[in-house]
PDB file of all heavy atoms in Angstrom:
ATOM      1  N   LYS B  26       8.018 -28.681 -10.463  1.00 95.00           N
ATOM      2  CA  LYS B  26       7.540 -28.109 -11.724  1.00 95.00           C
ATOM      3  C   LYS B  26       6.631 -26.924 -11.428  1.00 95.00           C
ATOM      4  O   LYS B  26       5.698 -27.052 -10.634  1.00 95.00           O
ATOM      5  CB  LYS B  26       6.781 -29.183 -12.507  1.00 95.00           C
ATOM      6  CG  LYS B  26       6.230 -28.717 -13.837  1.00 95.00           C
ATOM      7  CD  LYS B  26       5.744 -29.879 -14.686  1.00 95.00           C
ATOM      8  CE  LYS B  26       4.509 -30.537 -14.110  1.00 95.00           C
ATOM      9  NZ  LYS B  26       3.975 -31.589 -14.999  1.00 95.00           N
ATOM     10  N   VAL B  27       6.915 -25.799 -12.062  1.00 95.00           N
ATOM     11  CA  VAL B  27       6.059 -24.617 -11.896  1.00 95.00           C
ATOM     12  C   VAL B  27       5.247 -24.458 -13.173  1.00 95.00           C
ATOM     13  O   VAL B  27       5.807 -24.355 -14.271  1.00 95.00           O
ATOM     14  CB  VAL B  27       6.900 -23.359 -11.626  1.00 95.00           C
ATOM     15  CG1 VAL B  27       5.991 -22.145 -11.447  1.00 95.00           C
ATOM     16  CG2 VAL B  27       7.754 -23.557 -10.375  1.00 95.00           C
ATOM     17  N   VAL B  28       3.932 -24.469 -13.040  1.00 92.00           N
ATOM     18  CA  VAL B  28       3.047 -24.464 -14.206  1.00 92.00           C
ATOM     19  C   VAL B  28       2.200 -23.198 -14.218  1.00 92.00           C
ATOM     20  O   VAL B  28       1.520 -22.890 -13.243  1.00 92.00           O
ATOM     21  CB  VAL B  28       2.110 -25.696 -14.195  1.00 92.00           C
ATOM     22  CG1 VAL B  28       1.261 -25.731 -15.457  1.00 92.00           C
ATOM     23  CG2 VAL B  28       2.914 -26.974 -14.058  1.00 92.00           C
ATOM     24  N   SER B  29       2.262 -22.475 -15.328  1.00 89.00           N
ATOM     25  CA  SER B  29       1.463 -21.250 -15.440  1.00 89.00           C
ATOM     26  C   SER B  29       0.022 -21.600 -15.786  1.00 89.00           C
ATOM     27  O   SER B  29      -0.295 -22.746 -16.130  1.00 89.00           O
ATOM     28  CB  SER B  29       2.044 -20.341 -16.518  1.00 89.00           C
ATOM     29  OG  SER B  29       1.757 -20.872 -17.794  1.00 89.00           O
ATOM     30  N   SER B  30      -0.859 -20.595 -15.735  1.00 81.00           N
ATOM     31  CA  SER B  30      -2.271 -20.838 -16.010  1.00 81.00           C
ATOM     32  C   SER B  30      -2.510 -21.245 -17.456  1.00 81.00           C
ATOM     33  O   SER B  30      -3.531 -21.832 -17.784  1.00 81.00           O
ATOM     34  CB  SER B  30      -3.098 -19.599 -15.668  1.00 81.00           C
ATOM     35  OG  SER B  30      -2.639 -18.499 -16.410  1.00 81.00           O
ATOM     36  N   SER B  31      -1.544 -20.949 -18.330  1.00 80.00           N
ATOM     37  CA  SER B  31      -1.700 -21.369 -19.723  1.00 80.00           C
ATOM     38  C   SER B  31      -0.962 -22.678 -20.004  1.00 80.00           C
ATOM     39  O   SER B  31      -0.825 -23.088 -21.149  1.00 80.00           O
ATOM     40  CB  SER B  31      -1.216 -20.266 -20.660  1.00 80.00           C
ATOM     41  OG  SER B  31       0.091 -19.869 -20.321  1.00 80.00           O
ATOM     42  N   GLY B  32      -0.469 -23.314 -18.954  1.00 84.00           N
ATOM     43  CA  GLY B  32       0.119 -24.639 -19.108  1.00 84.00           C
ATOM     44  C   GLY B  32       1.611 -24.656 -19.355  1.00 84.00           C
ATOM     45  O   GLY B  32       2.208 -25.726 -19.522  1.00 84.00           O
ATOM     46  N   GLU B  33       2.243 -23.490 -19.397  1.00 88.00           N
ATOM     47  CA  GLU B  33       3.685 -23.461 -19.620  1.00 88.00           C
ATOM     48  C   GLU B  33       4.412 -23.921 -18.360  1.00 88.00           C
ATOM     49  O   GLU B  33       4.001 -23.609 -17.252  1.00 88.00           O
ATOM     50  CB  GLU B  33       4.122 -22.046 -20.005  1.00 88.00           C
ATOM     51  CG  GLU B  33       3.535 -21.607 -21.332  1.00 88.00           C
ATOM     52  CD  GLU B  33       3.030 -20.191 -21.328  1.00 88.00           C
ATOM     53  OE1 GLU B  33       2.990 -19.592 -20.232  1.00 88.00           O
ATOM     54  OE2 GLU B  33       2.666 -19.691 -22.391  1.00 88.00           O
ATOM     55  N   GLU B  34       5.501 -24.639 -18.562  1.00 92.00           N
ATOM     56  CA  GLU B  34       6.176 -25.284 -17.429  1.00 92.00           C
ATOM     57  C   GLU B  34       7.633 -24.831 -17.311  1.00 92.00           C
ATOM     58  O   GLU B  34       8.319 -24.686 -18.315  1.00 92.00           O
ATOM     59  CB  GLU B  34       6.151 -26.807 -17.608  1.00 92.00           C
ATOM     60  CG  GLU B  34       4.747 -27.383 -17.690  1.00 92.00           C
ATOM     61  CD  GLU B  34       4.765 -28.861 -18.040  1.00 92.00           C
ATOM     62  OE1 GLU B  34       5.817 -29.343 -18.514  1.00 92.00           O
ATOM     63  OE2 GLU B  34       3.730 -29.507 -17.852  1.00 92.00           O
ATOM     64  N   VAL B  35       8.060 -24.617 -16.088  1.00 94.00           N
ATOM     65  CA  VAL B  35       9.477 -24.377 -15.796  1.00 94.00           C
ATOM     66  C   VAL B  35       9.859 -25.327 -14.666  1.00 94.00           C
ATOM     67  O   VAL B  35       9.105 -25.466 -13.697  1.00 94.00           O
ATOM     68  CB  VAL B  35       9.744 -22.915 -15.375  1.00 94.00           C
ATOM     69  CG1 VAL B  35      11.224 -22.717 -15.046  1.00 94.00           C
ATOM     70  CG2 VAL B  35       9.331 -21.949 -16.479  1.00 94.00           C
ATOM     71  N   PHE B  36      10.996 -25.973 -14.830  1.00 95.00           N
ATOM     72  CA  PHE B  36      11.423 -26.964 -13.842  1.00 95.00           C
ATOM     73  C   PHE B  36      12.537 -26.399 -12.969  1.00 95.00           C
ATOM     74  O   PHE B  36      13.461 -25.769 -13.472  1.00 95.00           O
ATOM     75  CB  PHE B  36      11.904 -28.233 -14.539  1.00 95.00           C
ATOM     76  CG  PHE B  36      10.799 -28.969 -15.235  1.00 95.00           C
ATOM     77  CD1 PHE B  36      10.346 -28.553 -16.471  1.00 95.00           C
ATOM     78  CD2 PHE B  36      10.197 -30.067 -14.648  1.00 95.00           C
ATOM     79  CE1 PHE B  36       9.327 -29.221 -17.114  1.00 95.00           C
ATOM     80  CE2 PHE B  36       9.177 -30.747 -15.281  1.00 95.00           C
ATOM     81  CZ  PHE B  36       8.731 -30.315 -16.521  1.00 95.00           C
ATOM     82  N   PHE B  37      12.430 -26.652 -11.689  1.00 94.00           N
ATOM     83  CA  PHE B  37      13.430 -26.195 -10.735  1.00 94.00           C
ATOM     84  C   PHE B  37      13.943 -27.370  -9.917  1.00 94.00           C
ATOM     85  O   PHE B  37      13.222 -28.344  -9.676  1.00 94.00           O
ATOM     86  CB  PHE B  37      12.831 -25.182  -9.751  1.00 94.00           C
ATOM     87  CG  PHE B  37      12.562 -23.832 -10.335  1.00 94.00           C
ATOM     88  CD1 PHE B  37      11.356 -23.565 -10.954  1.00 94.00           C
ATOM     89  CD2 PHE B  37      13.515 -22.831 -10.273  1.00 94.00           C
ATOM     90  CE1 PHE B  37      11.097 -22.328 -11.492  1.00 94.00           C
ATOM     91  CE2 PHE B  37      13.266 -21.580 -10.811  1.00 94.00           C
ATOM     92  CZ  PHE B  37      12.047 -21.330 -11.428  1.00 94.00           C
ATOM     93  N   LYS B  38      15.165 -27.225  -9.475  1.00 94.00           N
ATOM     94  CA  LYS B  38      15.681 -28.121  -8.453  1.00 94.00           C
ATOM     95  C   LYS B  38      15.944 -27.261  -7.229  1.00 94.00           C
ATOM     96  O   LYS B  38      16.628 -26.236  -7.319  1.00 94.00           O
ATOM     97  CB  LYS B  38      16.962 -28.779  -8.936  1.00 94.00           C
ATOM     98  CG  LYS B  38      17.368 -29.973  -8.116  1.00 94.00           C
ATOM     99  CD  LYS B  38      18.421 -30.773  -8.859  1.00 94.00           C
ATOM    100  CE  LYS B  38      18.381 -32.212  -8.391  1.00 94.00           C
ATOM    101  NZ  LYS B  38      19.390 -33.013  -9.068  1.00 94.00           N
TER     102      LYS B  38
END
Side-chain angles (χ1 to χ4, degrees):
Chain B
K26 180 168 69 175
V27 180
V28 184
S29 74
S30 58
S31 53
E33 295 137 352
E34 300 173 344
V35 179
F36 293 80
F37 287 88
K38 195 165 205 181

